[in-house]
Amino acid sequence: MTVFDNLSNVDQTKERGAAASKERHVTSALRVFRSDWIILAAASLVFLISIASPPHLMDDVDAVQAQAARNMLASGDWVTARLDGVAYLEKSPLNYWMIAVAYRIFGVHDWAARLPHALAVVLLCWITYRFGRWAFGETAGLYAGIALSTSVGLFLFTRILIPDATLTLTITGAIWAWLRLLEPDTESGLTKSGLPWSILLGCCLGAGLLLKGLIAAVFPVMAALIYMAVTRNLFSWTAWRRLHLGLAIAVALVIAVPWYAISTVRNPPYFVFTLHSGPGEYHGFFWFYFFNEHLLRFLGLRYPRDYDTVPRFWFWILNLVWIFPWSFYLLSAPTLDYKPTSRAGRTRLMALCWIGAVLLFFTFSTTQEYYSMPIYPALALLAGSVLSAGGRWVRAGTYAVLAVSAILFAVLSFLLASVWRVPAPGDISQALTQHPELYTHALGHIWDLTLNAFAYLKLPLALAAFAFGGCAVALAFGRNNIRRTVFVIAISMIIFFQGARIALIRFDNYLGSYPLAERLQQSPPGQLIEADAYYAFSSVFFYTDRTALLLNGRMNNLEYGSYAPDAPQVFIDDNKFVSLWQEESRWYLLTYGTDVPHLEQVVGRTNLHIVAENGGNYLLTNHPLP
């Protein structure tokens, strides 16, 4: 064999190696591409499908957010949100801006109002997958994305147009960027300088500030500082230099500060620093937003106090419910490696700091059930890491899911059998019991359910029973295959969520006032009065795009803005109501059924003519309809 033959063999070996390497790279890329679409498909089946109407927008926060965005679009004032003409200063604007842009593109529809939030949640699930893939590998990332997409809490608390899911997206992006910038090899994925990740960090912090205020920066910064302290980098100049914090802060300020500054100027007085909050006081935007809505709310001293707080123990423990069914696998999370000697260990440690920062903060503050949503991606990352590792603890978790699924199937089947022959006339409100003292909680209406109410939920019960029964059977025969187990659980939850959406349609008339809005639109022209706070019938305002006088409605979220110097005179008392109701012109009145006895005393029963009734609430008029 000649020297040339040897060289030829070497070249051929190199070519085969390069070809094999290229083939492996292509295979890996195809696997990632396939996983991307699996996550996007799973999240879309849960969240994008759910934007369809019905169910219509609910009264209270749901329709309020949609209408505030509509008012911005109509008025051209993208700085100060308004409801019924009254300044609504307590919320940051990005939530409204997103909805208003959707209106501009697709027109004003309830599904258009839901679209930005649904897209944000789908993006959140995909980012969680990518985060997990970067940290733990393709399989763990896939499992993390699936776990988040099909967790109970993320579905449950994205039925309302609140900005918390989008806030969770910005917090997740900020924490991932911070962690990548601290990587020992300064691996940025784009450039060795890491500047793009610093810009991303700033963008996430700035967007978060425009979504829900200072808390958007507190959570990722608090989690990162705890992480740096634990890894002994808190006083490391090298670590801080990698972060390029000056650039990140500058980007965040460029994004957020203009709105804060303009809003302060447009809603004077500019700077008031009192810590007293009470009725009849108006101190402008700056005081209300930063002192009343941030500091005093944290201390539980905000006025008006139109919210309640979940007991600390339940706030902590219920997170196992919100991440269900994947919470069973988190029981083996303590067996994972959290040493910061590997990227996987550092990410798990950051996830613990992330969870701890959020829960610790709310341990000393007022809480609602969904306030812990920013930890869901961290829990999903840990669940994905556990599932990819396998072992006896994962098998135990699968047995637990199987057992709970079998129990749920039995309970749901029993309920379905119990109400199968029970008639369901009218709407579900007739079979519910009201507990208004619980409605300041996000899930307060759950306690209104009675056994008879399930007669109106036969199809949702059947779908839920099918989902959990099928899950139990499939796991019984394929529980030793982790990948199959994950997909079986995910498919079962997707089916369950479709049943839950149908259940929400059954509750449509109870949680919202669309039938009253529809009847008002069909009635002769007239002016509108609402007997309560604006939130009480907010879906009517959205679906009719009308304003109203608010009878004894100077309370809760519009009370503060009602004392602004330029506030419209939309608040009336009983005396003014009587004089208006006696006019020859037509007036309509939206009222709770519980308020009717008082109204009868004020204007007389014979002067209250029913136009429509929905869920025990009424649309009345002062003159009989032709």
Side-chain angles (χ1 to χ4, degrees):
M1 181 178 292
T2 66
V3 173
F4 295 103
D5 291 332
N6 288 333
L7 290 174
S8 177
N9 290 335
V10 170
D11 290 340
Q12 291 174 6
T13 301
K14 287 182 179 180
E15 289 176 1
R16 286 195 296 268
S21 177
K22 183 178 180 180
E23 184 177 352
R24 286 194 300 271
H25 180 74
V26 171
T27 301
S28 177
L30 289 174
R31 187 184 304 166
V32 170
F33 180 76
R34 183 180 62 184
S35 296
D36 284 330
W37 282 105
I38 288 173
I39 298 300
L40 293 174
S44 297
L45 286 172
V46 175
F47 300 103
L48 277 178
I49 287 179
S50 296
I51 72 173
S53 180
H56 298 97
L57 294 178
M58 292 179 275
D59 288 327
D60 209 303
V61 177
D62 200 26
V64 159
Q65 300 290 313
Q67 185 61 19
R70 185 185 206 168
N71 293 340
M72 276 190 167
L73 185 63
S75 68
D77 182 359
W78 293 67
V79 175
T80 303
R82 296 184 186 276
L83 295 171
D84 212 35
V86 180
Y88 185 61
L89 301 175
E90 64 184 67
K91 303 299 182 184
S92 303
L94 186 53
N95 195 41
Y96 311 131
W97 294 349
M98 292 164 55
I99 299 172
V101 169
Y103 290 159
R104 177 66 62 84
I105 297 172
F106 301 106
V108 179
H109 307 285
D110 46 16
W111 63 265
R114 293 172 174 149
L115 180 61
H117 295 78
L119 292 175
V121 180
V122 171
L123 181 58
L124 170 63
C125 296
W126 181 77
I127 288 294
T128 301
Y129 151 66
R130 282 286 179 161
F131 194 168
R133 175 177 172 267
W134 169 81
F136 312 125
E138 175 62 30
T139 300
L142 177 64
Y143 293 164
I146 290 176
L148 185 61
S149 301
T150 56
S151 61
V152 166
L154 193 62
F155 172 82
L156 192 62
F157 298 128
T158 52
R159 300 308 88 213
I160 303 174
L161 297 179
I162 53 177
D164 294 74
T166 313
L167 172 69
T168 300
L169 172 62
T170 66
I171 290 173
T172 302
I175 289 176
W176 189 16
W178 199 301
L179 192 60
R180 293 199 70 149
L181 288 166
L182 288 177
E183 274 291 277
D185 58 358
T186 323
E187 180 186 349
S188 68
L190 294 174
T191 174
K192 292 295 182 180
S193 71
L195 291 180
W197 287 98
S198 295
I199 294 172
L200 176 62
L201 174 60
C203 289
C204 289
L205 293 176
L209 289 171
L210 289 178
L211 278 166
K212 209 161 182 177
L214 301 181
I215 200 72
V218 169
F219 286 161
V221 171
M222 187 176 174
L225 292 179
I226 295 173
Y227 170 81
M228 292 180 71
V230 172
T231 56
R232 300 182 181 180
N233 281 316
L234 189 58
F235 301 104
S236 168
W237 170 245
T238 302
W240 285 104
R241 189 171 55 188
R242 287 196 188 111
L243 293 173
H244 304 287
L245 275 186
L247 175 61
I249 292 172
V251 170
L253 293 179
V254 166
I255 292 172
V257 166
W259 175 77
Y260 285 107
I262 297 171
S263 193
T264 298
V265 171
R266 288 193 182 179
N267 297 278
Y270 303 140
F271 301 109
V272 177
F273 299 97
T274 179
L275 293 180
H276 181 268
S277 179
E281 298 181 358
Y282 183 79
H283 302 303
F285 164 80
F286 181 86
W287 176 86
F288 187 75
Y289 186 86
F290 289 105
F291 283 80
N292 203 47
E293 285 300 306
H294 281 76
L295 179 59
L296 296 180
R297 191 182 188 105
F298 175 80
L299 298 174
L301 300 175
R302 172 194 183 261
Y303 180 87
R305 188 181 175 90
D306 54 352
Y307 55 92
D308 210 338
T309 186
V310 178
R312 301 296 181 272
F313 172 79
W314 290 110
F315 178 75
W316 280 60
I317 205 68
L318 280 173
N319 287 292
L320 295 177
V321 176
W322 310 146
I323 204 69
F324 175 86
W326 311 100
S327 44
F328 292 107
Y329 296 104
L330 289 175
L331 298 178
S332 62
T335 64
L336 297 173
D337 179 16
Y338 295 89
K339 296 177 182 178
T341 53
S342 66
R343 179 184 293 174
R346 288 189 291 272
T347 303
R348 295 186 195 107
L349 183 58
M350 176 62 92
L352 290 184
C353 297
W354 180 353
I355 295 166
V358 174
L359 295 184
L360 180 64
F361 179 90
F362 283 119
T363 297
F364 299 99
S365 177
T366 55
T367 57
Q368 284 283 320
E369 297 95 318
Y370 58 86
Y371 282 9
S372 62
M373 192 185 295
I375 73 171
Y376 295 176
L379 294 173
L381 287 170
L382 291 178
S385 187
V386 165
L387 285 163
S388 66
R392 62 186 183 91
W393 282 103
V394 170
R395 289 193 296 273
T398 300
Y399 278 114
V401 174
L402 192 161
V404 170
S405 296
I407 292 170
L408 288 173
F409 169 74
V411 171
L412 293 167
S413 298
F414 172 78
L415 287 173
L416 185 59
S418 300
V419 301
W420 186 254
R421 297 185 182 277
V422 176
D427 63 66
I428 196 172
S429 61
Q430 302 173 71
L432 300 172
T433 58
Q434 293 193 343
H435 297 85
E437 72 280 2
L438 299 175
Y439 297 162
T440 50
H441 292 291
L443 300 180
H445 281 286
I446 285 180
W447 305 108
D448 292 351
L449 283 168
T450 63
L451 181 61
N452 287 338
F454 287 103
Y456 296 81
L457 303 173
K458 292 169 187 173
L459 179 56
L461 282 173
L463 282 173
F466 173 76
F468 289 116
C471 182
V473 171
L475 291 182
F477 289 98
R479 59 186 178 275
N480 294 323
N481 185 311
I482 295 176
R483 192 177 186 87
R484 185 181 305 164
T485 295
V486 170
F487 280 96
V488 163
I489 295 173
I491 293 170
S492 300
M493 293 305 296
I494 291 172
I495 296 172
F496 170 71
F497 291 146
Q498 303 316 309
R501 180 182 173 275
I502 295 173
L504 284 174
I505 295 175
R506 299 289 188 269
F507 278 93
D508 200 12
N509 292 351
Y510 183 68
L511 298 177
S513 301
Y514 179 77
L516 298 182
E518 192 174 37
R519 187 68 178 88
L520 181 59
Q521 291 284 71
Q522 298 167 354
S523 299
Q527 299 182 72
L528 183 63
I529 302 173
E530 185 202 48
D532 211 301
Y534 182 90
Y535 274 43
F537 293 94
S538 57
S539 61
V540 174
F541 296 119
F542 174 79
Y543 286 108
T544 64
D545 193 24
R546 295 180 64 159
T547 57
L549 298 178
L550 305 179
L551 173 59
N552 300 321
R554 181 173 261 168
M555 63 178 75
N556 299 342
N557 302 78
L558 291 191
E559 181 178 350
Y560 184 75
S562 72
Y563 295 109
D566 61 346
Q569 302 303 307
V570 296
F571 299 94
I572 62 173
D573 58 16
D574 285 349
N575 293 329
K576 181 65 175 177
F577 169 65
V578 170
S579 66
L580 294 174
W581 204 249
Q582 293 174 345
E583 291 179 355
E584 292 296 325
S585 57
R586 184 174 298 280
W587 287 87
Y588 292 98
L589 175 68
L590 294 163
T591 181
Y592 286 151
T594 53
D595 291 335
V596 169
H598 172 71
L599 296 170
E600 291 176 344
Q601 291 179 351
V602 173
V603 297
R605 179 179 299 182
T606 58
N607 294 318
L608 296 173
H609 305 278
I610 298 176
V611 179
E613 185 273 338
N614 174 66
N617 301 324
Y618 294 90
L619 174 64
L620 307 173
T621 185
N622 60 336
H623 299 299
L625 292 177

